[in-house]
């Protein structure tokens, strides 16, 4: 019977019921696998399958009817005890439910069952009923994908997982079978959750390979669900690779294949590919840019059929400590560097830095030629020129340093004036060209190949606004000997990798989560999978992968949030109360308008009561909405066991990651951004903090290091700590390195206390690493960590003890929207100070102030407290006569305290934070603004910057 001759409502009801039947069947099948003798479960599966068969037969849906009938027969045999539950039977029944679901979805979207391959499944079901050995059910693949896999089969020999990763090219985009953008977004969200579960499950299995138990079944189900979901939307590549992974795991479940390190590595590699594939889906257009995964599928098929596991070697096989990057440089160049008298490691670092900044400058100039008003790119240009200036000063290239400084000065003057920046581009282009020509001449004098300075493209994530990165995808060059500890593979190389020559070091992106590579920087992070970008790429279709920095999390962030229905019920009740109060206001207004028998006292009392009720409801509403937005930090923490595991394997250091407080909740918008800074801090703890095994043993420490990741509530904020039991940070060494690299002068170094010396780690371009590894050490990233946390209105503090370890503490607001603030008045203007940063308010007699090291101070309850005038810091007019009693707000920046003198202290208020906007830009000492009840705009002070301003003025 055709749908054309049937009431559409009947078909709609059938589709709804069929989906309900399948939702009942699948979980019961998985339970049945655990309890094969459970007859009640068999009945629970048999009944919906029987109903599905009957309804489809009535509607003339023959393909659904035949497949459901065959599956029903198997279930009937199992009920009667004529057959026993085996893994093979479960596999084929699950394959049948996948096919049924796909046909029902086709029926809903296309009006027909569609071309779903059911013949092999029916054949397998018939064989089982006949008592023959069950052939393996085939995956629901498109013919083109099947052909690709079959063609690749003869070429199994010589394939390694490393070559698989490097040969995943992009295919031709095609449309997915989905009914709307929301469906695809749900698919992506579920796929990401399942890949996280797969990663954590495989890591757990790696710890207990001899007792897999339910863990293998859980991992199998995740692969199976991914296969089913991808089949529903017609995502052939994902369907194919998950099917092969599922088949491989099935052999492990049955004990035919041992759980080895190689198997874990291979499956983790598959998870990486899955994440790359999912990132290629564009929900807005309903299309996907496929990756050619033929080689990866072939490796899995070989593992299934022959038991030969080609374990990946991309950063997972090698356990030896990484050699310094300088060792990989070509021999003639190393010889030349030796003749120069300069340290080879310094040369490598210099070449890495200048090649990165060269690319950044080219990209910034290219974008500014299109639109000279882009402030972000002007800042990029200034920072890159300043970095080149400092680097040349460190190397002793004085002429180049002076020229770079003069060029940076031109950019700075132009960006701080009203001048149209596009007018500066011709002269800047000439100056930059001259600068790099001069630099090339200096390198020639030293016998260093200057092409090494300009060959590597920019690591955009370090310095370039996010939109440039997404808009400039570039193909990967011939692969070098790379190791990838990160969980996200980069799937866009050249079609055929060339033989791997020794290559010089290339710069790493200065993002919180760089992926190391021996030849070319590639933005990478655990939360997203960005494509590499070249300095001046033409406009091209943007990659689906997000960019570095703040937008990295944005790419992977979910547009949905799971909410407990009780919170929604409470919200609905509050809305009801709100409507009642609104009606009460309306009645009071009508009563006043009538002018009849108006009792002012009575009206005032009613208004007061209604206002109090409204205040209570709005507070409750705000609190409930905030709770709805709260998500546990476990959603971020869950990715780090995999990261630490890979880094541990890569560096040869045995490290335990200990996570605490994963249930701590933060605003969703904060959680989505903190992933990258945490990645960078953990990488630094692994590389710079935890020592090598022999060093730890010599120091009397356990051979295995520890890294703690903990979260907890602290007042109205959340603290996240990253702590290691490594060698700690030596303040004296930090001063020496900072002087040597030109970050500070020797005179400035003398004035730094130990805490300030340790905070030099956040200076741009600073690195105390003795060798550059592909994990860290290039001096890029920590400044980005602080910037990202500052953008969240948070702060970063360091606590370290030499020989004992280091602890970084991130202090983050619970929400970015509403904060408690103390209102103050300075020079006739009102300002807001975040209450979290206020230790106390007090009154101090002016005569008690004394001079200490060039600034005012007072002894307050035994503590020497620095005092500074807010009017002086903000360059506001000060009163002609100083009052005898000063109003002082004591603020704290981390563990440091400062007293700021204000004219008046007002009340505490809850305020809504508003950004200053691009027009005002970054104003020192100001973090944002808020709008008061009378419509006036109040600026919000930044306690951290206020402290820095006070310190700099004192010095």
């Amino acid at each position: 019977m055709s749908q054309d001759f049937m009431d559409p409502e009947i078909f709609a009801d059938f589709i709804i019921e069929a989906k309900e039947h399948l939702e009942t069947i699948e979980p019961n099948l998985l339970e049945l696998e655990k309890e094969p003798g459970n007859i009640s479960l068999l009945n629970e599966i048999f009944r919906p399958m029987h109903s599905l068969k009957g309804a489809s037969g009535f509607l003339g849906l023959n393909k659904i009817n035949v497949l459901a009938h065959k599956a029903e027969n198997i279930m009937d045999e199992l009920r009667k005890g004529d057959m026993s539950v085996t893994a093979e039977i479960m596999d084929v029944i699950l394959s049948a439910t996948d096919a049924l679901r796909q046909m029902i979805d086709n029926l809903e979207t296309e009006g027909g069952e569609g071309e779903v391959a059911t013949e092999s499944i029916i054949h397998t079901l018939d064989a089982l009923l006949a008592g023959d050995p069950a052939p393996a059910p085939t995956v629901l693949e498109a013919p083109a994908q099947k052909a690709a896999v079959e063609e690749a089969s003869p070429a199994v020999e010589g394939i390694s997982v490393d070559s698989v990763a490097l040969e995943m090219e992009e295919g031709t985009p095609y449309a997915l079978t989905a009914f709307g953008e929301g469906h695809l977004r749900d698919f992506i969200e579920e796929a990401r959750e399942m890949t996280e579960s797969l990663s954590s499950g495989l890591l757990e299995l790696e710890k207990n390979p001899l007792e897999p138990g339910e863990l293998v079944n859980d991992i199998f189900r995740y692969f199976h669900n991914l296969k089913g979901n991808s089949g529903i939307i017609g995502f052939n590549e994902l369907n194919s690779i998950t099917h092969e992974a599922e088949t491989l795991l099935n052999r492990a479940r049955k004990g035919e294949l041992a759980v080895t390190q190689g198997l874990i590595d291979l499956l983790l590699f598959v998870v990486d590919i899955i994440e790359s594939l999912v990132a290629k889906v564009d929900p807005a257009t309903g299309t996907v840019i496929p990756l050619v995964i033929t080689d990866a599928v072939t490796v899995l098929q070989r593992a299934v059929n022959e038991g030969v596991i080609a374990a990946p070697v991309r950063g997972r096989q090698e356990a030896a400590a990484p050699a310094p990057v300088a060792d990989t440089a070509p021999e003639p160049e190393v010889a030349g560097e030796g003749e120069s008298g300069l340290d080879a490691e310094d040369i490598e670092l210099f070449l890495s830095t200048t090649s990165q900044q060269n690319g950044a400058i080219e990209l910034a100039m290219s974008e500014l030629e299109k639109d000279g008003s882009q402030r972000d790119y002007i800042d990029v240009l200034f920072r890159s020129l300043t970095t080149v200036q400092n680097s040349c000063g460190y190397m002793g290239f004085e002429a180049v340093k002076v020229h770079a400084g003069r060029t940076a000065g031109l950019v700075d003057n132009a960006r701080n004036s009203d001048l149209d920046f596009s007018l500066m581009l011709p002269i800047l282009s000439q100056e930059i060209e001259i600068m790099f020509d001069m630099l090339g001449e200096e390198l020639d004098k030293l016998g260093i190949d200057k092409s090494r300075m300009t060959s590597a493209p920019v690591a955009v994530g370090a310095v370039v606004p996010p939109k440039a990165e997404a808009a400039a995808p570039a193909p990967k060059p011939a692969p070098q000997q790379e190791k990838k500890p990160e969980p996200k593979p980069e799937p866009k190389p050249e079609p055929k990798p060339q033989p791997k020559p020794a290559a010089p070091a290339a710069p790493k992106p200065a993002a919180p989560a760089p992926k190391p590579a021996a030849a070319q920087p590639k933005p990478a992070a655990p939360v997203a999978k960005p494509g590499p970008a070249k300095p001046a790429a033409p406009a091209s279709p943007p990659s689906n992968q997000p960019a570095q920095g703040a937008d990295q999390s944005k790419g992977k962030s979910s547009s949905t949030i799971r909410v407990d229905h009780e919170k929604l019920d409470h919200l609905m009740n509050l809305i009801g109360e709100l409507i009642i109060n609104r009606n009460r206001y309306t009645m009071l207004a009508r009563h006043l308008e009538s002018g009849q028998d108006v009792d002012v006292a009575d009206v005032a009392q009613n208004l007061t009561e209604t206002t109090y009720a409204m205040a209570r409801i709005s507070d409750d509403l705000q609190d409930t909405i905030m709770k709805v937005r709260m998500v546990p930090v476990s959603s971020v923490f869950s990715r780090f066991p995999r990261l630490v595991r890979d880094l541990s394997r890569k560096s040869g250091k045995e490290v335990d990651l200990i996570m605490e407080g994963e249930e701590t909740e933060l605003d969703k918008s904060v959680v989505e951004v903190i992933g990258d800074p945490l990645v960078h801090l953990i990488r630094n703890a692994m590389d710079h903090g935890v020592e090598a095994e022999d060093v730890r043993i010599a120091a009397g420490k356990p051979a295995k290091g520890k890294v703690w990741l903990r979260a907890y509530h602290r007042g109205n904020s959340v603290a996240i700590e990253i702590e290691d039991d490594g060698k700690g940070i030596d303040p004296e060494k930090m001063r020496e390195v900072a002087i040597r690299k030109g970050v500070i002068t020797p005179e400035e170094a003398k004035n730094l206390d130990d805490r300030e010396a340790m905070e030099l780690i956040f200076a741009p371009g600073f690195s105390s690493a003795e060798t550059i590894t592909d994990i860290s050490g290039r001096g890029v990233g920590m400044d980005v960590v602080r910037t990202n946390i500052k953008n969240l209105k948070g702060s970063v503090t360091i606590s370290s003890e030499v020989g004992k370890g280091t602890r970084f503490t991130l202090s983050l607001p619970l929400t970015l929207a509403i904060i408690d603030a103390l209102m103050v008045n300075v020079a006739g203007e009102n300002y807001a100070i975040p209450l979290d940063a206020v230790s106390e308010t007090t009154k101090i007699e002016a005569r008690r102030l004394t001079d200490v090291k060039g600034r005012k101070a007072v002894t307050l309850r035994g503590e020497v407290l620095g005092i500074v005038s807010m009017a002086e810091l903000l360059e506001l007019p000060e009163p002609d006569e100083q009052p005898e009693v000063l109003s002082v707000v004591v603020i704290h920046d981390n563990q440091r305290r400062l007293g700021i003198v204000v004219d008046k202290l007002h009340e505490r208020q809850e305020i809504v934070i508003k950004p200053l906007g691009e027009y005002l830009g970054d104003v020192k000492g100001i973090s944002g603004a808020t709008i008061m009840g009378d419509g006036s705009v109040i600026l919000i002070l930044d306690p951290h910057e206020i402290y820095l301003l006070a310190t700099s003025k004192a010095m």
Side-chain angles (χ1 to χ4, degrees):
M1 188 178 296
S2 170
Q3 185 178 358
D4 296 335
F5 301 99
M6 183 62 66
D7 187 340
E9 289 188 9
I10 295 179
F11 267 92
D13 290 342
F14 167 75
I15 290 169
I16 293 171
E17 289 178 5
K19 288 183 176 181
E20 290 175 354
H21 290 325
L22 291 175
E23 288 173 2
T24 302
I25 291 169
E26 269 207 357
N28 284 330
L29 281 171
L30 299 176
E31 286 298 318
L32 181 63
E33 204 166 20
K34 299 177 185 176
E35 306 176 41
N38 193 327
I39 298 299
S40 63
L41 278 176
L42 283 167
N43 290 328
E44 289 296 326
I45 299 168
F46 177 83
R47 280 193 292 269
M49 191 68 79
H50 177 75
S51 300
L52 185 58
K53 179 199 74 171
S56 59
F58 170 73
L59 296 175
L61 303 171
N62 296 326
K63 291 182 73 173
I64 295 177
N65 178 261
V66 170
L67 186 56
H69 179 58
K70 297 291 184 183
E72 177 197 30
N73 289 341
I74 294 289
M75 301 311 302
D76 195 37
E77 294 295 312
L78 292 172
R79 284 200 309 162
K80 293 186 293 187
D82 295 338
M83 295 176 65
S84 57
V85 176
T86 64
E88 290 84 355
I89 290 177
M90 289 297 99
D91 288 342
V92 72
I93 297 294
L94 286 169
S95 296
T97 58
D98 290 341
L100 289 168
R101 179 181 285 106
Q102 188 167 341
M103 287 189 285
I104 289 164
D105 285 336
N106 290 343
L107 188 66
E108 183 176 27
T109 56
E110 302 171 6
E113 294 161 287
E115 297 300 322
V116 179
T118 60
E119 293 79 7
S120 60
I121 301 174
I122 292 172
H123 175 68
T124 304
L125 291 168
D126 287 338
L128 287 170
L129 284 169
D132 298 333
T138 57
V139 68
L140 303 174
E141 296 175 323
Q145 179 67 15
K146 283 186 180 178
V149 175
E150 288 167 4
E151 285 177 18
S153 298
V156 168
E157 293 300 323
I159 292 177
S160 72
V161 176
D162 189 45
S163 67
V164 171
L166 295 173
E167 292 181 7
M168 287 196 301
E169 305 167 27
E170 285 188 352
T172 304
Y174 62 86
L176 297 172
T177 306
F179 45 90
E181 183 178 343
H183 182 201
L184 278 183
R185 291 195 183 279
D186 289 343
F187 164 77
I188 293 171
E189 181 75 12
E190 290 178 13
R192 285 172 178 162
E193 289 178 3
M194 281 188 266
T195 51
E196 288 179 5
S197 299
L198 280 170
S199 292
S200 58
L202 287 168
L203 293 176
E204 188 65 31
L205 183 60
E206 186 178 38
K207 297 177 184 176
N208 302 293
L210 300 180
E211 299 179 6
E214 282 301 309
L215 199 52
V216 172
N217 290 330
D218 290 339
I219 297 170
F220 173 84
R221 282 191 287 271
Y222 290 130
F223 276 120
H224 176 77
N225 290 341
L226 275 170
K227 182 189 79 170
N229 292 349
S230 59
I232 290 172
I233 64 172
F235 195 166
N236 300 323
E237 290 75 20
L238 183 56
N239 187 268
S240 176
I241 197 165
T242 49
H243 171 70
E244 297 299 339
E246 174 192 46
T247 307
L248 181 62
L249 260 175
N250 194 38
R251 290 197 60 189
R253 284 201 309 164
K254 295 187 292 185
E256 298 173 3
L257 198 64
V259 177
T260 63
Q261 189 66 63
L263 178 63
I264 299 293
D265 286 341
L266 179 57
L267 290 173
L268 284 171
F269 174 71
V270 170
V271 174
D272 290 344
I273 295 177
I274 291 171
E275 289 178 324
S276 294
L277 288 169
V278 172
K280 294 293 182 182
V281 177
D282 184 359
T285 61
T287 59
V288 62
I289 303 174
L291 298 176
V292 179
I293 58 168
T294 307
D295 290 338
V297 171
T298 303
V299 170
L300 287 168
Q301 289 176 336
R302 186 181 183 193
V304 171
N305 299 327
E306 304 174 25
V308 177
I309 296 177
V313 296
R314 303 170 306 118
R316 297 198 186 110
Q317 281 294 89
E318 298 82 5
V325 175
D327 295 344
T328 65
E331 291 300 328
E333 294 172 6
V334 173
E337 291 158 11
E339 293 168 6
S340 71
L342 292 170
D343 181 77
E345 193 65 46
D346 287 340
I347 292 173
E348 291 295 341
L349 183 58
F350 175 74
L351 292 171
S352 297
T353 302
T354 50
S355 69
Q356 179 187 7
Q357 303 310 322
N358 184 16
I361 290 169
E362 288 183 19
L363 180 57
M365 291 292 289
S366 172
E367 292 296 326
L368 288 169
E369 286 174 4
K370 302 173 187 175
D371 180 5
S373 65
Q374 299 183 77
R375 178 67 186 226
D376 287 340
Y377 285 103
I378 297 173
D379 293 342
V380 165
L381 193 58
F382 176 74
R383 287 196 298 268
S384 297
L385 288 168
T386 303
T387 302
V388 172
Q389 174 192 4
N390 295 336
S391 299
C392 290
Y394 173 68
M395 295 295 289
F397 301 155
E398 288 301 322
V400 188
K401 174 187 174 184
V402 171
H403 189 91
R406 186 166 60 244
T407 309
L410 288 174
V411 175
D412 195 35
N413 290 335
R415 70 175 181 166
N416 291 327
S417 67
D418 295 330
L419 181 68
D420 182 359
F421 198 84
S422 59
L423 300 176
M424 296 289 297
L425 294 180
I427 187 171
L428 285 175
S429 181
Q430 294 174 12
E431 294 297 316
I432 290 167
E433 185 177 355
I434 292 170
M435 178 185 73
F436 279 107
D437 285 344
M438 293 170 65
L439 187 51
E441 291 172 5
E442 294 286 350
L443 294 176
D444 284 340
K445 292 177 186 177
L446 299 177
I448 301 172
D449 182 6
K450 63 184 178 183
S451 66
R452 297 175 61 193
M453 174 187 67
T454 57
S455 59
V458 62
V460 190
V463 289
V464 178
K467 65 177 180 181
E469 301 171 64
K476 208 184 281 184
Q480 307 298 318
Q481 294 175 347
E482 79 173 294
K483 301 177 183 179
K484 288 173 68 177
E486 293 291 331
K488 312 289 186 276
E490 192 60 57
K492 295 201 282 185
E494 290 293 338
K496 201 72 177 173
Q498 301 298 321
K500 301 182 181 181
K508 289 183 183 180
K515 269 190 186 175
Q520 173 172 339
K522 300 173 294 185
V527 272
K529 299 154 279 298
K534 53 187 177 183
S540 59
S543 169
N544 285 328
Q545 293 99 327
Q548 287 273 26
D551 277 1
Q552 211 166 25
S553 302
K554 180 180 173 183
K556 178 125 181 187
S557 67
S558 165
S559 60
T560 61
I561 187 169
R562 294 183 177 179
V563 181
D564 188 337
H565 71 89
E566 291 183 358
K567 293 178 181 177
L568 294 179
D569 293 342
H570 186 55
L571 276 175
M572 186 55 105
N573 292 336
L574 289 174
I575 295 298
E577 292 185 40
L578 203 58
I579 292 172
I580 292 170
N581 270 274
R582 182 193 66 186
N583 294 338
R584 191 173 178 184
Y585 273 123
T586 304
M587 292 173 61
L588 286 170
R590 287 175 182 169
H591 183 53
L592 287 172
E593 287 172 355
S594 68
Q596 297 177 358
D597 301 325
V598 175
D599 185 342
V600 175
D602 184 53
V603 171
Q605 182 180 352
N606 284 330
L607 275 173
T608 302
E609 291 175 356
T610 308
T611 302
Y612 281 146
M614 189 67 77
R616 177 185 58 79
I617 295 168
S618 60
D619 287 345
D620 202 351
L621 194 60
Q622 174 190 328
D623 185 54
T624 306
I625 290 293
M626 295 301 300
K627 288 179 180 177
V628 166
R629 290 184 55 85
M630 292 292 190
V631 295
V633 295
S634 59
S635 59
V636 178
F637 282 18
S638 61
R639 73 184 67 158
F640 297 124
R642 169 74 183 276
L643 174 65
V644 170
R645 180 256 189 197
D646 284 345
L647 292 177
S648 180
R649 295 282 302 280
K650 183 176 191 61
S651 63
K653 300 175 182 177
E654 288 292 323
V655 179
D656 275 340
L657 175 65
I658 303 169
M659 297 193 297
E660 302 170 0
E662 299 165 84
E663 70 284 350
T664 305
E665 291 188 330
L666 262 176
D667 190 279
K668 185 173 183 289
S669 57
V670 178
V671 169
E672 288 171 352
V673 180
I674 61 173
D676 293 343
L678 289 178
V679 166
H680 196 86
L681 290 170
I682 288 177
R683 291 170 69 91
N684 269 1
M686 294 282 294
D687 197 37
H688 297 314
V690 178
E691 312 96 327
E693 183 176 336
D694 55 344
V695 177
R696 292 180 64 84
I697 292 174
K701 296 182 179 180
K704 181 179 286 190
K706 291 183 179 180
V707 174
W708 288 268
L709 178 60
R710 60 176 71 94
Y712 56 90
H713 285 281
R714 185 169 62 186
N716 290 326
S717 61
V718 168
I720 298 180
E721 293 181 354
I722 302 89
E723 183 179 358
D724 64 72
D725 65 346
K727 58 188 176 185
I729 299 175
D730 185 352
E732 192 56 42
K733 180 181 177 182
M734 301 294 284
R735 293 187 185 95
E736 293 173 3
V737 174
I739 294 171
R740 179 160 56 86
K741 292 183 179 292
V743 177
I744 57 174
T745 64
E747 291 73 22
E748 290 172 330
K750 291 178 183 177
N751 294 328
L752 297 178
D753 60 26
D754 285 352
R755 179 184 299 279
E756 291 168 333
M758 285 191 290
E759 290 193 352
L760 288 169
I761 197 172
F762 295 111
F766 183 90
S767 175
S768 61
E770 296 175 358
T771 60
I772 302 170
T773 71
D774 52 5
I775 297 176
S776 60
R778 298 191 187 277
V780 289
M782 291 301 289
D783 58 325
V784 179
V785 169
R786 169 163 275 184
T787 300
N788 285 354
I789 298 302
K790 180 187 170 187
N791 291 341
L792 293 173
K793 315 301 178 193
S795 61
V796 188
T797 60
I798 308 174
S799 173
S800 183
E801 186 176 347
V802 177
K804 297 291 181 66
T806 303
R807 180 170 68 247
F808 287 87
T809 303
L810 312 183
S811 182
L812 299 163
L814 285 171
T815 175
L816 299 181
I818 301 172
I819 62 169
D820 286 327
L822 174 67
M823 311 305 293
V824 299
N825 185 281
V826 180
E829 297 288 340
N830 288 330
Y831 294 89
I833 304 176
L835 204 59
D836 276 351
V838 177
S839 294
E840 59 179 299
T841 59
T842 185
K843 300 280 188 178
I844 296 177
E845 295 177 347
R847 61 182 179 79
R848 293 176 54 195
L849 299 184
T850 58
D851 285 327
V852 178
K853 293 184 179 180
R855 71 177 181 185
K856 299 293 184 183
V858 68
T859 303
L860 183 66
R861 290 189 290 278
E863 173 193 6
V864 177
L865 182 69
I867 300 292
V868 64
S869 167
M870 180 63 69
E872 180 186 351
L873 286 182
L874 300 180
E875 298 180 357
L876 299 172
E878 298 190 56
D880 296 332
E881 294 184 7
Q882 291 292 338
E884 295 182 0
V885 178
L886 305 176
S887 299
V888 177
V889 179
V890 181
I891 63 170
H892 58 264
D893 176 44
N894 303 326
Q895 297 178 5
R896 300 168 293 200
R897 284 161 47 100
L898 175 71
I900 54 177
V901 178
V902 299
D903 294 344
K904 293 179 182 177
L905 295 170
H906 294 312
E907 71 283 356
R908 160 191 172 279
Q909 283 192 23
E910 281 188 331
I911 59 173
V912 179
I913 304 174
K914 300 290 183 183
L916 290 178
E918 294 182 3
Y919 180 76
L920 292 175
D922 187 13
V923 181
K924 291 292 184 183
I926 305 297
S927 63
T930 187
I931 301 173
M932 304 304 290
D934 59 0
S936 61
V937 176
I938 302 296
L939 295 177
I940 304 171
L941 300 179
D942 185 332
H944 175 69
E945 295 223 345
I946 292 294
Y947 184 89
L948 294 181
L949 284 172
T951 305
S952 62
K953 285 186 180 292
M955 294 176 64

